[in-house]
Amino acid sequence: MHDTSYARDAANPELRLHAHTLNADEWRNLQTSYQVGDLLMPCCEASAIPKTSPYGLQFFAHAGGQCSSSPEGLWHLAGKEKVAQTAREMGIQAIIEHPSSHG
């Protein structure tokens, strides 16, 4: 599993930008001002995209189709299945996410 809590600055790869250190206004400003390629993922040279989860968690994601080093592993897939199974046992409808047809 790759760390998505920080990204590297493309102009200065030694500089790390940690998502949790930015307040909500700073994060929104980053989201509206960055350009693809300004930030890089820690595991590879893929562009990092600043995102916010439905629960408000700030994180960086790979730009679509740019990284082949982080496909979903067997543990991740098994974990998603177990969570969905447990939810179904509790009477909750659960659908497992999966990659789109174009990655």
Side-chain angles (χ1 to χ4, degrees), residues 3-9 14-23 26-27 30 39-40 42 50 58-60:
D3 186 352
T4 60
S5 66
Y6 76 92
R8 295 178 291 126
D9 183 308
E14 297 299 315
L15 180 64
R16 293 180 177 187
L17 181 60
H18 293 268
H20 69 276
T21 64
L22 301 176
N23 66 39
E26 292 169 329
W27 189 253
L30 175 65
L39 304 169
L40 304 174
Q58 298 171 174
F59 67 100
F60 293 97

Side-chain angles (χ1 to χ4, degrees), residues 17-85:
L17 181 60
H18 293 268
H20 69 276
T21 64
L22 301 176
N23 66 39
D25 289 334
E26 292 169 329
W27 189 253
R28 277 190 298 278
N29 184 48
L30 175 65
Q31 288 179 307
T32 59
S33 66
Y34 89 98
Q35 295 199 7
V36 174
D38 287 349
L39 304 169
L40 304 174
M41 291 301 290
C43 62
C44 62
E45 295 299 312
S47 295
I49 309 299
K51 293 187 173 185
T52 305
S53 79
Y55 300 106
L57 177 68
Q58 298 171 174
F59 67 100
F60 293 97
H62 288 86
Q66 288 194 14
C67 181
S68 61
S69 71
S70 62
E72 288 186 325
L74 293 178
W75 287 0
H76 185 89
L77 294 170
K80 288 196 310 186
E81 181 58 44
K82 183 64 175 172
V83 168
Q85 176 186 352

